[in-house]
Amino acid sequence: MTMTDQIHQIQASYQPLEDRILLNIKTLNQHVYCAWITRRYLQLLLPALHGHHPTSHEPLFDQKKAMLNQLKNEASQLSNGFNQPYQAPEQAIYPLGETPILLAKITFKALDTPAPFVHLEPHSGQGISLPFQPELLGALLKVFGQAMEAADWQLDLNPIMQLPKQMRLQ
């Protein structure tokens, strides 16, 4: 399902009983998308958020564009409300249902256009389509970085795929 409204808040929190990260995305029109992220899925997703193919680690974009995107990530995180604590809406609408979906696939669409998308999908059924934009990627990296520290999963990622130090909790 493609989000038709602007994303307002993102939360990723480690749930120890599930040994998973719960991702909540809230839009300005009070739509809430909930998904479980496993350790294996996050290990595939992090390289993609850094602009690399999840398995081959080949760049999804040219290097110059990737560097410009990183600079935009850092600047937009300071100006957007993604640093504010997540607040569940009073009258939430759950397009995918109130039960979180279990993410299993990552699909990229329109990477060679000005409006690329990444689709986060379960094995079957509807998933979440997100714009593959620097502002959103930076916010996702930040919230996943915080959740990874709480999970203490010690993911074995290539150093180039690690979260930048300025995104880690101090």
Side-chain angles (χ1 to χ4, degrees):
M1 166 169 279
T2 302
M3 289 187 190
T4 56
D5 195 23
Q6 183 178 354
I7 294 172
H8 180 62
Q9 288 188 310
I10 299 171
Q11 176 192 47
S13 59
Y14 177 66
Q15 304 295 310
L17 287 176
E18 295 281 342
D19 193 27
R20 301 179 199 179
I21 293 173
L22 179 60
L23 175 65
N24 289 304
I25 300 173
K26 180 176 82 171
T27 66
L28 287 176
N29 66 359
Q30 306 302 305
H31 286 189
V32 177
Y33 299 83
C34 306
W36 287 117
I37 298 186
T38 63
R39 182 179 186 275
R40 181 196 66 80
Y41 190 83
L42 189 61
Q43 195 164 9
L44 293 173
L45 183 59
L46 285 178
L49 295 179
H50 280 280
H52 293 84
H53 190 276
T55 53
S56 71
H57 301 290
E58 294 294 321
L60 295 171
F61 301 103
D62 66 47
Q63 291 302 317
K64 183 178 178 183
K65 185 175 181 179
M67 288 178 69
L68 291 173
N69 284 345
Q70 181 62 31
L71 293 174
K72 287 180 187 177
N73 282 347
E74 293 169 6
S76 67
Q77 284 177 25
L78 299 174
S79 64
N80 287 338
F82 291 128
N83 291 329
Q84 300 173 3
Y86 180 81
Q87 297 174 350
E90 291 180 24
Q91 306 254 332
I93 300 165
Y94 295 90
L96 301 176
E98 289 187 46
T99 302
I101 59 173
L102 177 60
L103 297 178
K105 299 184 279 186
I106 303 169
T107 308
F108 302 95
K109 300 284 183 181
L111 286 179
D112 56 348
T113 70
F117 276 86
V118 59
H119 299 280
L120 311 177
E121 305 166 285
H123 276 292
S124 63
Q126 291 186 342
I128 304 168
S129 291
L130 300 171
F132 205 59
Q133 299 171 341
E135 309 82 46
L136 181 59
L137 299 179
L140 287 170
L141 284 169
K142 184 172 184 170
V143 298
F144 286 140
Q146 294 168 344
M148 279 176 32
E149 285 193 19
D152 194 28
W153 281 342
Q154 300 176 4
L155 295 177
D156 183 27
L157 298 171
N158 183 328
I160 205 166
M161 300 299 151
Q162 294 291 331
L163 294 174
K165 289 184 181 185
Q166 66 268 22
M167 291 184 175
R168 294 184 185 169
L169 290 176
Q170 301 297 333

